Amino acid sequence: MPEIKITPLGAGQEVGRSCLLLTMGGKNIMLDCGMHMGYNDDRRFPDFSYISDGPISAFIDCVIISHFHLDHCGALPYMSEMVGYNGPIYMTHPTKAIAPILLEDMRKVSVEKKGEMNFFTSQMIKDCMKKVIAVTLHQSVMVDNDIEIKAYYAGHVLGAAMFWIRVGSQSVVYTGDYNMTPDRHLGAAWIDKCRPDLLISESTYATTIRDSKRCREKDFLKKVHECVDKGGKVLIPVFALGRAQELCILLETYWERMNLKAPIYFALGLTEKANNYYKMFITWTNQKIRKTFVQRNMFDFKHIKAFDRQYIDNPGPMVVFATPGMLHAGLSLQIFKKWAPNENNMIIMPGFCVQGTVGHKILNGAKTVEFENRQIVEVKMSVEYMSFSAHADAKGIMQLIQHCEPRNVMLVHGEAAKIDFLKEKIQQEFNLQCFSPANGETSVITTPVKIPVDVSLPLLKAEAKKFSGLTPDPKRRRTLHGVLLMKENSMCLMDVDEACKEAGINRHVVRFTSTLNINDPGPSLTTAHKIHGYIREKLPLCSVIFSEGEISIESVLVKVEGDDDDQKSVYVSWTNQDEELGSQILNLINHMGKV
Amino acid sequence: MKLYCLSNDPNKPCHILTFREVTMMLDCGLSMQSLLNFLPLSFVPSNKLMNMANWMPCDTSDPDLEGELKENGDRVFVDSPPEFCPPLDKLIDFSQVDVILISNYLCMMALPFITEGTGFKGRVYATEPTLQIGRLLLEELVIYIEQCPKCNFASQWKNFVHKCPYPLNEAFKPKSWKQIYNMNNVNASLSRIQMVGYNEKIDLYGALQVIPASSGYCLGSANWIISTEHEKIVYLSGSSTLTTHPRPMDHHALKNADILIMSDLTQTPISNPDSMLGVLCVVVGLTLRGGGNVLIPCYPTGVVYDLFECLSGKMQESGVANCPMFFISPVADMSLAYSNILAEWLSSVKQNKVYAPEEPFPHALLVKNNKLKHFKHIYSEGFSTDFQEPCVVFCGHPSLRFGDVVQFIELWGNNPRNCIVFTEPDYDYIEALAPYQPLQIKVAHCAIDTSLNFTQANKLIRDLKPKTLVVPECYTQPPVANPNLTELVIGNHPDSTLIPYKWGEVINLPLKRKQGQVLIETNVAQKIVPVEVKPGISLSTVTGSLNVKDNIHKIQELSDIKSKPVKYEWGTLNITEFLQKLSQEGITDAKVESLGGNVVVIHLQAEDALIQLEDNSTHVVCNADEKLRTKLRNIVMQCLKEF
């Protein structure tokens, strides 16, 4: 039986970096190539030496990146430029546009601010992106003669995609991260009934049933509003792309609706440029934004203005988005130092912070932060952490399974306990095998064989004609019988005579005719009728035809001869192919004669 | 397989293709040549158009005809809302159409005529730009006509067409002409479209697979590949091998088709788009420097994007950069905005800009810098304050029968310093201008049609090597306007059979299906025992239950497993060997009798049996003694090969 093998190098029973190795039909495909944000050492990148001791390009046929989050693409330049992968890399157009910006952002933080070594350079990011082939949704892409891939809309972030991958008759769907409910700027994930052998789904929110995102958004807006109302300043450290735009839309619409006057600033050199990506990939956003973009582009913000450093000391309330997101350097840190000592102020951390950053410290409740120059900052402002990532909840995951009807399911990108809970649910509800390998563990899925074979139309038509000639019976099975002709690389199923002709051989027909004598006075036709009735009774499943004194049962012929006296000769004739039936009928008639 | 031709205009094609019991409509172009026979619609009462003299055929005095026809110069025009010639509806009932495949946004203007009020229940497939931009074209057309309602509908003239002067007397099937659809029809019709991407495989009832492949002609334009496991049909519509803004044409996908249907070649076979663009730039430069205005009648999308880009550069060079460009269309804003968000459908140069991130087309920048100003109408707010002369105005409709262009001709027509430049190839410019004559405005004809010319088309056919080539009959003859240019035809290609077709015809296409496909499932496949009957040729019987669902045939294991697999005997029975084996089994009284030919009968007297042997058959005749028959059977089988 053919197999599909999956080995997670990351995201196996954890929400860390995503990196899965898929093997099917002799092809090796890497699904995502993420970086672990929690480590500063070798552990941040996947262990590519696990894959192969030799050159990695010889082993991996292609890499597919689902979206631009660094835990899904962060190790890509490392893999392509430092480990030395030269094969094709696939991602959607928006991912191709945005991923290098995030990679560069992260590189700067890691190398320039934290002084890390053994990291990829700016040039490496550029060289890596040159190996990327951008795909559009639903386009069928042939990676080589055997691998076909197709992207589906996944929601989650701009340009996020699920990928359907086929090699031969085996297929897999890898979801990456997705959400099944439309949000502020994105639509819901969608897939057709593609019936893959395996669906690999993320399961971040495997145990959450309700979409709790709305609640978190409400909570966020309420906190910001309260802080601004009492004259406080709100600092939101963000990275230039992704969550920043989402939060901007959120605040923009809220300000509009509540008619708030406090200024919102977006303090990034990149602001306009970043928003431009969103404007140009409007086709990837949700219906509402797409419909209205000509009149009003959602990413042209009315209430959000560019920030200037001198505004830091301005009196009165304000909301400021500033980079970088982990508060380890730059403007966001500068603002933090000024605002932290005031208890009226607030800082909202909308994303993950790695160990060692100021962000990480204050999220862990540090009340004072000490800096290199012995400067000590008291943290009196309130500190909030809020995650806004859009993932499918348990209901959404079940929905997706229903939509695409996989034969097996695999859960990754989720905590072990949560996965186990959902796994049980899936097995119960859909009666499907459900896998959840840990990192480094290989799951093997066997798939049924389906060999595509040419078939001669006359054979199919003869069967169809025969079938439609029968009285309709929903329980009746159709049977097809033919001869498979195999030559060179072609296989064709055809009628036996056609096959012999094609093969250039002569079929030899072997026929048997047995004669038996029975005593039955009266015309031979009457005897024939008797035999007919008898056979019908004994062989109710066979089609028995009585015509012009001859009885045919399938291809067995029975003929009665003789005058009106007692003695009748019954001929039973059949070809060797009907040996079983022929001899059975012969015995039946023989038996009947003796009764 | 049959092909029906429903449109008489190869550039606004509409076909029906039937194959494997699927009825497909290939494009639904709307021929608009009929428009030229109508008076222009003006939303400001125009002296000239209102005071045009009535015309009556010489020997006719039908009072109902009175006022329907107007005369200007040697032309006669119908004074009525314009009518269109929809695809022929006599050959096929549109409710029977399963699928409509649309190649590009210029080939879908008849869609509401096909899908609304006809009982149409099928699906419509088009790419995202085709839908979005097609919507703009349909809406613009409806708005243009609805904004100038006419109180009287002329209909009597259709009975007197033969008495009218040229070109009205040659009007094609005027009695089938229809009024335009309304906005509800447009919306209902477009809501049926399912958006598809290039190279997306679309399954039609399991019987056919269709794939749109980039055709390089305009944003989202596609050629369609219709295939089964064994047959491939390519429908080639508006295609271009030139480098403009759309994604380049995908040649590879079109290769080695059994049938290639080719339509929508260039309408300007003797002029080159590049040199036309050059002339256009010179004309614009000269006119503006001379203090005149330039009027460019155009569609709100397509080549006009290239014109903005090219002209703004040239105007800079010729020192008239401060002359503004105006783009006036009810859908101008939508057109400019949409073109810049469809990066995935653009040429790689334009596509790479979004990674910067910059807008793929410079017109966004031109708008920002006030070089290009767009308005819905000339009466829109802000136009009169922004309007300054000399300037360049892009506006519709290219037929000059409706749209804001009518007002600009009124405004600028009598000043010889102004110039009207025809860039769209769809209408004969002399006919387009006829109702406005006499005019003082200069006229330049720079029709830019980027679709394949005859040289390119013939080269493409040589590359693609279709077995059968199907083209409109008019492409097999030199153009009517240039009968001596015999090279402007689709010639005979040695590898391809050429089949011409024309309007109203149903032609049989020579594609005979011989093979289909079945999927053999595991358990059945495991039972296959190939027997090599000749070097490299193996045979095996296959028996299974046949499962047919969505036209996909699967062979699964039979439920009653006890039945033995059927085998077949082959080869010739050797009589000597057979007799030898008989005697080994104790049958020694065999009497061989030759009946001539290769027929031999062996009598077994003691056993009361006979065996008749021929080259390809053996017949064992005996009494009801099964023991004997089984023995004989075994011997026969030993002497034959089987698979």
Short mmCIF file of all heavy atoms in Angstrom, two decimals, chain B residues 45-63:
data_model
loop_
_atom_site.label_atom_id
_atom_site.label_comp_id
_atom_site.label_asym_id
_atom_site.label_seq_id
_atom_site.Cartn_x
_atom_site.Cartn_y
_atom_site.Cartn_z
N PRO B 45 -30.13 69.08 -25.35
CA PRO B 45 -30.75 69.12 -26.68
C PRO B 45 -29.80 69.78 -27.68
O PRO B 45 -29.25 70.84 -27.43
CB PRO B 45 -31.99 69.99 -26.46
CG PRO B 45 -32.26 69.90 -25.01
CD PRO B 45 -30.95 69.69 -24.32
N SER B 46 -29.59 69.08 -28.78
CA SER B 46 -28.65 69.59 -29.76
C SER B 46 -29.42 70.06 -30.98
O SER B 46 -30.24 69.33 -31.52
CB SER B 46 -27.68 68.46 -30.13
OG SER B 46 -27.34 68.56 -31.49
N ASN B 47 -29.14 71.28 -31.39
CA ASN B 47 -29.83 71.86 -32.56
C ASN B 47 -29.68 70.98 -33.77
O ASN B 47 -30.62 70.66 -34.46
CB ASN B 47 -29.23 73.23 -32.88
CG ASN B 47 -29.96 74.30 -32.09
OD1 ASN B 47 -31.10 74.06 -31.66
ND2 ASN B 47 -29.31 75.41 -31.87
N LYS B 48 -28.43 70.60 -33.96
CA LYS B 48 -28.12 69.87 -35.17
C LYS B 48 -28.88 68.54 -35.23
O LYS B 48 -29.52 68.22 -36.22
CB LYS B 48 -26.62 69.61 -35.19
CG LYS B 48 -26.23 68.67 -36.29
CD LYS B 48 -24.83 68.94 -36.70
CE LYS B 48 -24.61 68.29 -38.05
NZ LYS B 48 -23.27 68.56 -38.53
N LEU B 49 -28.82 67.79 -34.12
CA LEU B 49 -29.44 66.47 -34.13
C LEU B 49 -30.96 66.58 -34.15
O LEU B 49 -31.66 65.76 -34.72
CB LEU B 49 -28.98 65.66 -32.91
CG LEU B 49 -27.47 65.36 -32.87
CD1 LEU B 49 -27.10 64.67 -31.57
CD2 LEU B 49 -27.04 64.52 -34.06
N MET B 50 -31.49 67.67 -33.51
CA MET B 50 -32.94 67.79 -33.44
C MET B 50 -33.52 68.25 -34.76
O MET B 50 -34.66 67.93 -35.10
CB MET B 50 -33.32 68.78 -32.34
CG MET B 50 -32.88 68.25 -31.01
SD MET B 50 -33.88 68.59 -29.59
CE MET B 50 -35.00 69.83 -29.99
N ASN B 51 -32.73 69.00 -35.48
CA ASN B 51 -33.29 69.59 -36.70
C ASN B 51 -32.92 68.83 -37.97
O ASN B 51 -33.06 69.35 -39.07
CB ASN B 51 -32.82 71.04 -36.83
CG ASN B 51 -33.32 71.85 -35.65
OD1 ASN B 51 -34.38 71.53 -35.08
ND2 ASN B 51 -32.56 72.85 -35.26
N MET B 52 -32.48 67.63 -37.79
CA MET B 52 -32.12 66.85 -38.97
C MET B 52 -33.38 66.53 -39.77
O MET B 52 -34.43 66.26 -39.19
CB MET B 52 -31.44 65.55 -38.51
CG MET B 52 -30.32 65.12 -39.40
SD MET B 52 -29.56 63.66 -38.73
CE MET B 52 -28.14 64.34 -37.92
N ALA B 53 -33.24 66.57 -41.10
CA ALA B 53 -34.42 66.40 -41.95
C ALA B 53 -34.94 64.97 -41.90
O ALA B 53 -34.16 64.03 -41.79
CB ALA B 53 -34.05 66.75 -43.39
N ASN B 54 -36.25 64.82 -41.96
CA ASN B 54 -36.86 63.49 -42.07
C ASN B 54 -36.49 62.88 -43.40
O ASN B 54 -36.28 63.58 -44.39
CB ASN B 54 -38.38 63.57 -41.98
CG ASN B 54 -38.80 63.71 -40.52
OD1 ASN B 54 -38.04 63.40 -39.61
ND2 ASN B 54 -40.01 64.19 -40.34
N TRP B 55 -36.49 61.57 -43.44
CA TRP B 55 -36.20 60.89 -44.70
C TRP B 55 -37.26 59.83 -44.93
O TRP B 55 -37.66 59.13 -43.99
CB TRP B 55 -34.81 60.26 -44.65
CG TRP B 55 -34.39 59.63 -45.95
CD1 TRP B 55 -33.77 60.23 -46.98
CD2 TRP B 55 -34.60 58.27 -46.34
NE1 TRP B 55 -33.55 59.36 -48.01
CE2 TRP B 55 -34.06 58.13 -47.64
CE3 TRP B 55 -35.21 57.17 -45.75
CZ2 TRP B 55 -34.09 56.93 -48.35
CZ3 TRP B 55 -35.24 55.97 -46.45
CH2 TRP B 55 -34.68 55.86 -47.76
N MET B 56 -37.71 59.73 -46.18
CA MET B 56 -38.67 58.69 -46.53
C MET B 56 -38.18 58.01 -47.80
O MET B 56 -37.64 58.67 -48.68
CB MET B 56 -40.05 59.31 -46.81
CG MET B 56 -40.82 59.71 -45.57
SD MET B 56 -41.30 58.31 -44.56
CE MET B 56 -42.96 58.07 -45.15
N PRO B 57 -38.38 56.70 -47.90
CA PRO B 57 -38.04 56.02 -49.16
C PRO B 57 -38.88 56.65 -50.27
O PRO B 57 -40.02 57.06 -50.03
CB PRO B 57 -38.44 54.57 -48.91
CG PRO B 57 -38.57 54.42 -47.43
CD PRO B 57 -38.93 55.77 -46.91
N CYS B 58 -38.33 56.71 -51.50
CA CYS B 58 -38.94 57.53 -52.55
C CYS B 58 -40.38 57.17 -52.85
O CYS B 58 -41.25 58.02 -52.86
CB CYS B 58 -38.08 57.49 -53.82
SG CYS B 58 -37.54 55.85 -54.24
N ASP B 59 -40.71 55.89 -52.99
CA ASP B 59 -42.08 55.57 -53.42
C ASP B 59 -42.96 55.14 -52.25
O ASP B 59 -43.89 54.37 -52.40
CB ASP B 59 -42.04 54.47 -54.50
CG ASP B 59 -41.21 53.29 -54.02
OD1 ASP B 59 -40.61 53.39 -52.92
OD2 ASP B 59 -41.16 52.28 -54.73
N THR B 60 -42.59 55.57 -51.05
CA THR B 60 -43.34 55.11 -49.88
C THR B 60 -44.01 56.30 -49.21
O THR B 60 -43.44 57.39 -49.14
CB THR B 60 -42.41 54.43 -48.87
OG1 THR B 60 -41.59 53.54 -49.59
CG2 THR B 60 -43.19 53.69 -47.81
N SER B 61 -45.20 56.07 -48.71
CA SER B 61 -45.83 57.14 -47.95
C SER B 61 -46.52 56.55 -46.72
O SER B 61 -47.61 56.92 -46.38
CB SER B 61 -46.84 57.88 -48.82
OG SER B 61 -47.76 56.92 -49.32
N ASP B 62 -45.88 55.58 -46.11
CA ASP B 62 -46.45 54.96 -44.92
C ASP B 62 -46.39 55.94 -43.76
O ASP B 62 -45.32 56.38 -43.36
CB ASP B 62 -45.62 53.70 -44.57
CG ASP B 62 -46.29 52.84 -43.52
OD1 ASP B 62 -46.97 53.44 -42.64
OD2 ASP B 62 -46.13 51.61 -43.58
N PRO B 63 -47.54 56.35 -43.22
CA PRO B 63 -47.52 57.38 -42.17
C PRO B 63 -46.82 56.88 -40.90
O PRO B 63 -46.28 57.68 -40.14
CB PRO B 63 -49.00 57.65 -41.91
CG PRO B 63 -49.74 56.45 -42.45
CD PRO B 63 -48.90 55.88 -43.55
#
